[in-house]
Amino acid sequence: MKFMKKLLVASLAMVCAFGGAKLTSGTVTTVKAAENENLKSVFSIDAGRKYFSTEQLKTIIERAYKNGYTDVQILLGNDALRFFLDDMSLEVNGKQYDSNAVKEALTKGNQSYYNDPNGNALTQAEMDEILAYAAERGMNIIPVINSPGHMDSILVAMETLGIQNPQFDGSVRTVDLDNEEAVAFTKALVKKYAEYFGSKSVEIFNLGCDEYANDKNTGGWANLQKSGLYKKFVAYVNDLSAIVKAAGMKPMCFNDGIYYNSKEEFGTFDKDLIISYWTSGWWGYDVAKPSFFAERGHKILNTNDGWYWVIGNYDKSEHGNGYTYDSAVNGIKGKDFTSVTGAKPEDNLDLIGSMQAVWCDYPEEVYEEDVVLGLMDLFSETHSEYLIRPADYTKVDEAISKIPTDLSVYTDESVKVLNDATAAVIRNKRVTEQAVVDGYADAINKAVEGLMFKAADYSKVDQAIEKANALNKKDYKNFELVEKAINAVERGLDIRSQDKVDAMAAAIEEAIANLELNKGQEQGTTKPENGTSGNVNTGDSTNMLAWGVLLAASLGLAGFILVKKAKARE
């Protein structure tokens, strides 16, 4: 069996590698036509029954993005509940349930269903990361919190929190719609998640609403109608639909329980419900046909179960489950993208797209990531005219790689042009907008070519020249050295020649420092320093000599006059 599994996977890989469709110009034209129809291509992973880590889910999202899917549906509440909000406190009919108590009760429920060794539940921070990762790639996330069936963990949590007999008629996974306390608790819980995902700009919220009490028998819906309780199911679904719409999202649910057996006497479902149509029923399981929903105004997401695979299910005899690997491969190859099970060619369906799904009915089975990704590749290649792949950003990345590491040496204006060009890049464009993406690369390349170096800083040169201009060159016998240094200044250099410019300033300063005064100027005159003039006042010796001569002459004249007067008296 192990050998056969590997052989099947290897064969699939070869089909995808060598038989896949290529995006020729003709294919692009077809893809554009599909894009105009605005059809969704969704991949669904059952991360409710089995724990999936953040990295595992991001890997699925990344492959979905590269393969041209538009959405990834993540079942978070499906038998187990694998995502806890930070605040899980609830108020139900006036009764308060503490956040930690709710988390502990839900953890107990998960462990009761399947104590997954890989993890219990994603945190809010991890879900924030997953949603952001998808948004960066233009991918939508469709969360699923399933009820009133597939609630194993939640039912255990209710009992742990003191709610009596929440199960329906012996089912371990279905809430009793006659138990008002249990129903109110479920609605409050769904509302909690709806408000979170609504705040994250999620488009569609899947309410599940499938396989009522399928663990007890497959006549759950028929029994509900027989007992008259189906009216409460209609009201319950419509209440959940209103909660989702109030949170700003579109409600969706699986088809089998809605208008079961094409009966309307129990009430009318909200027309805004998107119908995820997966089965047209089987013997004793009489579901409404696609045309029935179309006639009542419901949009349909084609969820053909011919594409289903249950992880670990390679041989029907092993689990008694028909959703084997072989059946999934054959279904992907054999059923058209728009082939809705149970529909007729003449049916006028309001189809919003199609969804491929991988389930974890046996959570103990090992998750084979390569097999899941291989099925995604096969679906994408087989239906390549509908799955619009990402544009090729190779040229953009090459242009970005040419951007200089140090932009500080370029002018602010030219750097702004480059930054604007890189900021304009949107990374989630599809192949139908390849010309736009190539335009991003052209704009970046042009901006790189247009980068202009900043001018060199000449402030030291200008300061040195200003110092030289303050000198009287007649006072120096070698002032021509300063003039030569100034005349050697080369203007207009950019920042790459800053060392050269600084050397010009140093040459001028050196010439000034080496000036020699003319003879007769040495005493009492100092060379300019720190920008000062060469004429420094330290006392004038010439003026003092003149005053001395004048004083001596005056004394001599006074003596002469005195002598002459004395002779006259004699």
Side-chain angles (χ1 to χ4, degrees), residues 145-420:
I145 304 294
N146 205 340
S147 72
H150 293 289
M151 292 176 56
D152 306 47
S153 295
I154 299 174
L155 293 174
V156 171
M158 286 190 204
E159 289 185 310
T160 303
L161 293 168
I163 298 174
Q164 301 296 314
N165 304 316
Q167 301 92 344
F168 169 74
D169 194 21
S171 169
V172 299
R173 65 182 44 135
T174 307
V175 70
D176 184 358
L177 294 174
D178 254 344
N179 187 324
E180 294 182 1
E181 186 179 9
V183 169
F185 183 94
T186 306
K187 288 179 181 178
L189 187 64
V190 172
K191 182 180 179 181
K192 195 88 174 177
Y193 285 106
E195 289 176 344
Y196 165 76
F197 284 108
S199 71
K200 298 296 182 178
S201 301
V202 165
E203 178 190 3
I204 297 174
F205 188 100
N206 192 339
L207 298 163
C209 303
D210 65 320
E211 298 182 326
Y212 193 86
N214 73 326
D215 58 318
K216 185 178 180 184
N217 59 64
T218 58
W221 301 120
N223 289 341
L224 278 185
Q225 291 184 343
K226 185 177 180 180
S227 66
L229 197 58
Y230 192 83
K231 287 184 178 179
K232 290 192 174 182
F233 173 70
V234 175
Y236 175 82
V237 173
N238 286 339
D239 286 346
L240 293 188
S241 179
I243 288 172
V244 170
K245 291 196 292 186
M249 297 177 290
K250 299 175 183 178
M252 183 166 72
C253 62
F254 296 110
N255 70 283
D256 52 296
I258 310 300
Y259 290 119
Y260 183 77
N261 206 14
S262 303
K263 292 184 177 181
E264 295 182 274
E265 58 263 36
F266 299 99
T268 302
F269 289 94
D270 182 2
K271 290 183 179 180
D272 290 333
L273 274 172
I274 299 170
I275 304 301
S276 179
Y277 203 96
W278 68 279
T279 180
S280 56
W282 51 86
W283 188 87
Y285 203 64
D286 304 309
V287 306
K289 296 297 184 281
S291 58
F292 187 90
F293 292 107
E295 290 166 2
R296 281 148 189 81
H298 291 277
K299 297 181 184 297
I300 293 175
L301 177 65
N302 178 26
T303 313
N304 197 313
D305 67 338
W307 301 325
Y308 280 10
W309 180 50
V310 172
I311 287 177
N313 189 28
Y314 291 91
D315 187 346
K316 184 177 179 179
S317 63
E318 185 176 354
H319 293 291
N321 188 313
Y323 297 128
T324 65
Y325 180 84
D326 275 344
S327 69
V329 170
N330 293 332
I332 290 171
K333 292 179 180 180
K335 297 182 182 298
D336 293 337
F337 185 82
T338 56
S339 176
V340 182
T341 182
K344 298 177 180 178
E346 63 270 20
D347 290 343
N348 185 21
L349 306 180
D350 190 357
L351 197 67
I352 67 168
S354 294
M355 179 161 68
Q356 172 195 15
V358 170
W359 301 92
C360 297
D361 295 38
Y362 318 109
E364 69 279 2
E365 290 283 355
V366 175
Y367 171 53
E368 297 174 288
E369 184 174 76
D370 58 336
V371 182
V372 171
L373 299 181
L375 286 173
M376 295 174 70
D377 293 344
L378 179 63
F379 190 87
S380 174
E381 295 291 353
T382 303
H383 305 294
S384 59
E385 70 273 25
Y386 290 100
L387 278 78
I388 307 169
R389 289 166 179 72
D392 183 358
Y393 281 78
T394 301
K395 292 181 180 178
V396 173
D397 294 332
E398 288 175 351
I400 291 175
S401 70
K402 298 175 184 176
I403 296 176
T405 303
D406 183 11
L407 292 177
S408 65
V409 297
Y410 299 99
T411 63
D412 293 343
E413 294 79 6
S414 63
V415 170
K416 182 179 184 304
V417 173
L418 176 59
N419 288 339
D420 289 346

